[in-house]
Amino acid sequence: MDAYDEEPAARSGPDGPAGARRAGGPGTPGEDSGPEATGGGAAPEPTPRAGLAALSPRYRLVAGGALAVVAAVAAVHLGMVFLSLAPANTVSKRHAKAVEGWVYPEFEQNWKLFAPNPLQQNVAVQVRAQVRGGDGEVRTTGWTDLSAEDGAAIDGNLLPSHTQQNELRRAWDFLGTTHGTDNRPVGVRGALSEQYVRRIVVLRLRRDEGLDRAGTIERVQVRSRTVNVPPPEWSREKVSTNPAYRVLPWWTVTGDETEAGAR
């Protein structure tokens, strides 16, 4: 048979008869096989570093040292402020100068932590009035304890109003800081505090006591009744529980307060 004759059914390769392969084609020894040929995935690229890990060891050490210094300063600052606000203790007494030198004046606080000096007195504001009746006769009422009325309104009330809790108390504190020991006002703020307290008590008398129906309120007098809170039974402290009074002079009620109440 001629060498050029081939079987009609002979399979042909990609480039020719069976068994013939294109040089450098797939399967050729030494060729670079693709991922499909090897059956493995592509090698993942390295994830870029971020934060401190991206720095060199030298700069990483510097950054770590800076963070440590900031954390130490913050801890010292919080400790100093805490000691300046906390009740007096062994540590704060021993290092009082250092604490004051750190806190004052830049970090001074005007409030105390844990209320180290709670109020130890019960202060009640009371008022009485001179009322002119329809027959022209002037009568003086008894003392009305306005603080007791506020306390009764707050007791058992889950949501007491700001007025019930603070209006009368803050007004009396304002008056006390703007008056001398002789109960005379000091400056313009003293006169303003008198007007503020007078308007509050007149409004309360007209509303709670109904004195506007009994006549015209001409003058009012305000006093405070202060009693020390008795110490607990286990305490050896001795305090007087006798009430102390601070009585202010009579105030004349102005026309707008008399006719329309405190506005």
Side-chain angles (χ1 to χ4, degrees):
M1 176 182 285
D2 195 342
Y4 294 98
D5 293 336
E6 293 181 351
E7 292 289 335
R11 294 184 179 180
S12 300
D15 300 314
R21 299 278 184 182
R22 183 168 53 188
T28 305
E31 72 171 337
D32 294 333
S33 300
E36 294 80 0
T38 59
E45 296 182 359
T47 303
R49 296 180 178 180
L52 293 177
L55 301 176
S56 64
R58 177 181 177 182
Y59 288 104
R60 201 180 306 169
L61 181 62
V62 173
L67 290 177
V69 171
V70 171
V73 172
V76 171
H77 175 72
L78 292 177
M80 291 293 189
V81 174
F82 176 85
L83 291 176
S84 69
L85 300 177
N89 54 74
T90 303
V91 178
S92 62
K93 291 179 180 179
R94 178 176 300 178
H95 304 285
K97 292 185 178 180
V99 172
E100 292 179 359
W102 180 280
V103 173
Y104 299 101
E106 289 82 2
F107 308 110
E108 180 181 2
Q109 303 290 331
N110 59 359
W111 51 272
K112 294 295 184 179
L113 193 64
F114 308 132
N117 296 312
L119 294 177
Q120 299 180 0
Q121 295 176 328
N122 289 322
V123 181
V125 179
Q126 302 172 345
V127 61
R128 65 178 177 175
Q130 288 183 347
V131 182
R132 182 177 298 275
D135 54 359
E137 183 180 355
V138 178
R139 68 181 182 89
T140 302
T141 66
W143 291 100
T144 299
D145 196 330
L146 302 181
S147 297
E149 294 179 353
D150 287 343
I154 294 172
D155 190 19
N157 188 351
L158 296 179
L159 297 173
S161 69
H162 180 76
T163 301
Q164 293 170 336
Q165 298 181 79
N166 298 316
E167 182 184 54
L168 183 62
R169 179 181 62 83
R170 296 289 297 273
W172 184 255
D173 290 344
F174 180 33
L175 186 140
T177 58
T178 55
H179 281 64
T181 56
D182 57 353
N183 293 327
R184 294 183 178 274
V186 178
V188 179
R189 288 171 57 85
L192 179 63
S193 67
E194 284 188 4
Q195 184 181 16
Y196 183 44
V197 173
R198 186 172 65 249
R199 285 178 173 267
I200 291 176
V201 298
V202 170
L203 175 62
R204 294 285 296 272
L205 289 174
R206 292 170 60 90
R207 183 190 67 190
D208 301 337
E209 303 299 327
L211 293 186
D212 56 336
R213 296 187 296 272
T216 302
I217 302 176
E218 291 192 341
R219 297 201 303 170
V220 294
Q221 187 178 33
V222 183
R223 74 177 184 183
S224 65
R225 181 179 185 271
T226 303
V227 179
N228 292 321
V229 177
E233 297 179 357
W234 48 263
S235 175
R236 297 181 180 179
E237 184 181 3
K238 302 296 182 181
V239 298
S240 174
T241 57
N242 296 326
Y245 293 93
R246 178 181 181 180
V247 183
L248 301 183
W250 285 94
W251 293 334
T252 300
V253 179
T254 59
D256 61 334
E257 295 167 342
T258 302
E259 298 299 329
R263 292 195 297 263

